[in-house]
Amino acid sequence: MEQRYLGRSGLRVSRTALGTMTWGRDTDADEAATQLMAFADAGGTLVDTADVYSEGEAERLLGTLLDEVVPRDELVLATKAVARRTEGPFGGGASRGALLSALDGSLRRIGVDHIDLWQLHAWDAGVPIEESLSALDHAISSGKVRYAGISNYSGWQLATAALTPTTFPLISTQVEYSLLERGIEREVAPAARHHGLGLLPWAPLGRGVLTGKYRNGTPPDSRGASAHFAGYVEQHRNERAARIVQAVSTAAEGLGTSALCVALAWVRDRPGVISPVVGARDTNQLIASLEAEELTLPPAIRAALDDVSAIELGYPERPMP
């Protein structure tokens, strides 16, 4: 698998990342082990998790697989903090105390002495950004973290964080991005490029909708049928999405590949994108995603998909005539 530099840093990561949001809940230990092995065998290196995924079980499960399944030093481990874990004073948020407490918890659950990429999971309006970033600096200086990034920041929030004086600059931002969700192209993506942050798209398959599995209803074994993910999927089931899914399916038929591969290849090769984060319920889904490594979309098909999924840019994103 191709490796790419993440932002303006020397950190190289695989151009597809393995997400673990379902680990410890919908994905059990045996399935997670099989996924991690298949991912590593394909040349994948970047594994993304968070302290709140499955209430910490995703990190714990990942930790049990390191060295037993894949050597720790062959992976780039990424996790996140900020989301509320407990009701205590340090149980969530982006204060210095809460962040450093969360980091210690992640290190303990995963069973490692450092995290390769530590990300602020969301903007915290109640905490000065200088305080939050000072925690990232301290974590890197202490050796517990190698690089730092952000997640789910708007354009102005990203720019504010990037321009705040720090010892170690941010190198990435993780955001939702797919043919169904192109909102980051208004301000987030341009801001990221300007400030040297690489894009790590989450939900690159439109929360599963772009695979075409929901065209004729909701499969009983899909996320859309589960109590905790139904609303997550439903957000992208509308008339606009149906038109885009049809275009993706048509492109896949013409190329002799899957709709999944077409959708993933489209977002993977967008400007500024480094590594889409792919979450799979089972190994078969993951292998289907890894097959996109062999696909490069022809310019004509890429242009057609750009057109059918285009979003309207208004002032001031759209240049004045």
Side-chain angles (χ1 to χ4, degrees):
M1 187 180 299
E2 180 183 320
Q3 306 291 307
R4 294 171 169 175
Y5 286 104
L6 185 52
R8 293 176 188 162
S9 80
L11 179 62
R12 296 174 72 242
V13 299
S14 54
R15 67 172 182 172
T16 299
L18 176 62
T20 63
M21 186 171 68
T22 64
W23 286 22
R25 182 168 54 189
D26 299 324
T27 303
D28 64 21
D30 290 340
E31 186 59 48
T34 305
Q35 285 189 24
L36 186 60
M37 186 179 300
F39 180 68
D41 286 346
T45 60
L46 178 57
V47 180
D48 181 74
T49 190
D51 58 358
V52 292
Y53 288 171
S54 302
E55 299 180 343
E57 287 304 311
E59 287 186 329
R60 290 190 186 94
L61 179 49
L62 175 59
T64 66
L65 303 180
L66 298 180
D67 292 327
E68 291 293 326
V69 175
V70 177
R72 190 268 180 263
D73 60 5
E74 293 182 7
L75 299 175
V76 177
L77 298 182
T79 192
K80 314 178 196 72
V82 171
R84 177 61 57 179
R85 306 178 312 282
T86 70
E87 294 304 317
F90 303 115
S95 70
R96 179 182 175 89
L99 287 174
L100 295 179
S101 176
L103 176 60
D104 287 341
S106 290
L107 292 170
R108 183 174 61 254
R109 284 186 292 274
I110 303 174
V112 294
D113 62 3
H114 72 276
I115 299 298
D116 298 306
L117 176 63
W118 193 37
Q119 303 155 100
L120 299 182
H121 210 158
W123 177 269
D124 187 342
V127 178
I129 189 62
E130 294 84 358
E131 179 178 343
S132 302
L133 295 181
S134 74
L136 300 185
D137 265 358
H138 176 77
I140 296 175
S141 296
S142 70
K144 294 181 178 181
V145 167
R146 297 294 190 256
Y147 297 90
I150 53 178
S151 180
N152 301 312
Y153 276 37
S154 67
W156 74 264
Q157 291 166 349
L158 184 156
T160 299
L163 291 171
T164 299
T166 58
T167 303
F168 305 100
L170 299 167
I171 68 168
S172 66
T173 181
Q174 190 170 150
V175 286
E176 183 172 9
Y177 190 27
S178 72
L179 279 160
L180 298 184
E181 180 52 83
R182 295 179 61 180
I184 69 162
E185 293 176 9
R186 293 187 174 93
E187 292 194 357
V188 175
R193 288 195 296 272
H194 181 76
H195 293 290
L197 277 67
L199 295 173
L200 299 175
W202 59 264
L205 302 177
R207 309 187 182 194
V209 175
L210 286 166
T211 65
K213 69 173 68 176
Y214 298 105
R215 294 177 74 181
N216 299 310
T218 302
D221 62 344
S222 67
R223 288 184 181 179
S226 67
H228 46 274
F229 279 124
Y232 173 81
V233 174
E234 193 64 28
Q235 181 174 331
H236 286 326
R237 297 179 70 179
N238 51 48
E239 291 184 7
R240 173 179 178 269
R243 292 193 297 272
I244 296 171
V245 170
Q246 179 59 54
V248 171
S249 297
T250 300
E253 291 173 6
L255 293 171
T257 187
S258 68
L260 184 158
C261 285
V262 169
L264 186 56
W266 180 88
V267 71
R268 182 199 65 210
D269 295 331
R270 294 294 291 173
V273 169
I274 305 302
S275 182
V277 181
V278 176
R281 188 179 65 257
D282 57 47
T283 305
N284 288 335
Q285 288 184 346
L286 176 61
I287 291 174
S289 295
L290 295 175
E291 290 174 355
E293 180 67 17
E294 306 301 321
L295 178 64
T296 299
L297 296 179
I301 288 180
R302 176 169 291 279
L305 293 175
D306 290 350
D307 183 61
V308 73
S309 65
I311 58 172
E312 183 177 353
L313 297 181
Y315 174 82
E317 295 91 3
R318 184 184 65 235
M320 294 182 66

